[in-house]
Amino acid sequence: MFCSNCGIQLPDALTFCYQCGTRVGAYSEQQPLLSRKQFYLSSPETQKLYQELRVWQKLAGVGFLIAGIAQLAILSRIVIDWTMPLHIELMSYIVAMIGFIIALVFSCKALPSLSHLNKMYKTYVQWHKNSYSQ
């Protein structure tokens, strides 16, 4: 289904366009509220944002994994009293910092997509509640 006002593609369960607020469907019988994931996968626009969000989240996870492995190397030296050459220990700290920086950068890259998706979903939920409360 498409909005008659702005032309955006919408899931069939919607009664109001989440982009412009125009009534797009009959609401004589109550439609079930879509879950967040169902809503994210319900239109090409939200699918694109959701896929972009997942990519950034996975890349941030890689950064945390790198940092975690480097921290384990540092921790093993402290706990086991393992004599690690200074240059290896410094490299472990540097790798840990690089991992945290990677995670931070990709987490920040994910924020606009997440924010936009959450705003769209909250608008959808509000319109859903308003359309069936009358």
Side-chain angles (χ1 to χ4, degrees):
M1 166 172 56
F2 291 89
C3 175
S4 59
N5 186 37
C6 67
I8 192 169
Q9 185 175 357
L10 300 167
D12 292 333
L14 291 182
T15 56
F16 289 90
C17 174
Y18 56 76
Q19 185 81 19
C20 67
T22 303
R23 182 172 291 162
V24 291
Y27 61 88
S28 56
E29 62 181 61
Q30 185 167 357
Q31 298 290 329
L33 182 67
L34 297 174
S35 70
R36 274 187 193 273
K37 189 165 185 178
Q38 289 171 330
F39 178 77
Y40 293 162
L41 300 175
S42 66
S43 75
E45 181 186 6
T46 55
Q47 283 178 2
K48 182 182 174 204
L49 284 169
Y50 183 66
Q51 289 170 350
E52 185 179 297
L53 173 67
R54 296 294 294 151
V55 167
W56 295 130
Q57 286 176 331
K58 287 177 183 177
L59 290 171
V62 169
F64 281 120
L65 181 66
I66 291 169
I69 291 170
Q71 288 295 323
L72 282 175
I74 295 165
L75 183 65
S76 67
R77 179 199 179 278
I78 295 169
V79 172
I80 302 172
D81 195 29
W82 181 48
T83 54
M84 181 186 295
L86 184 60
H87 67 280
I88 302 281
E89 185 177 356
L90 288 175
M91 228 166 35
S92 296
Y93 283 112
I94 291 169
V95 168
M97 291 307 298
I98 289 171
F100 284 122
I101 290 169
I102 289 170
L104 180 66
V105 166
F106 287 126
S107 295
C108 289
K109 288 275 208 183
L111 286 177
S113 299
L114 180 62
S115 174
H116 192 61
L117 281 170
N118 283 337
K119 183 179 174 186
M120 291 168 73
Y121 185 72
K122 286 178 184 178
T123 305
Y124 158 70
V125 169
Q126 187 62 42
W127 281 326
H128 187 274
K129 288 179 182 178
N130 290 342
S131 66
Y132 296 119
S133 66
Q134 299 173 353

